[in-house]
Amino acid sequence: MPAIVGAVKVISIGASSVFNIGDVFMMTPNSTAKTFSGAGSFNTGDGLRVYNNQSSTNTDDNDAVDQPIVDFN
């Protein structure tokens, strides 16, 4: 079914945004992120007791690409 769209004014679109007007079959936005965190960084909850006396986070990464995103469209 065709879409009838009136006037549209776009001020800005973010880097990870998807903007669509009208009919669409499939939209597949892709993104990647690499996060370095120390021991116990992502623990959530009430009353946590985390003991990390000798903790260190290795952030050395010699790879140029870890896992590429391939667009199949």
Side-chain angles (χ1 to χ4, degrees):
M1 177 177 214
I4 300 173
V5 180
V8 176
K9 181 178 182 180
V10 178
I11 304 299
S12 66
I13 296 178
S16 62
S17 300
V18 175
F19 179 74
N20 177 57
I21 295 179
D23 299 335
V24 65
F25 171 71
M26 177 176 42
M27 290 189 290
T28 57
N30 298 320
S31 67
T32 59
K34 183 184 292 189
T35 303
F36 296 106
S37 62
S41 296
F42 296 114
N43 290 336
T44 58
D46 296 331
L48 289 174
R49 293 183 184 184
V50 180
Y51 299 101
N52 298 315
N53 295 330
Q54 295 291 329
S55 177
S56 65
T57 302
N58 182 9
T59 59
D60 295 331
D61 187 15
N62 297 327
D63 299 342
V65 176
D66 288 330
Q67 184 173 355
I69 292 179
V70 178
D71 188 15
F72 293 108
N73 295 332

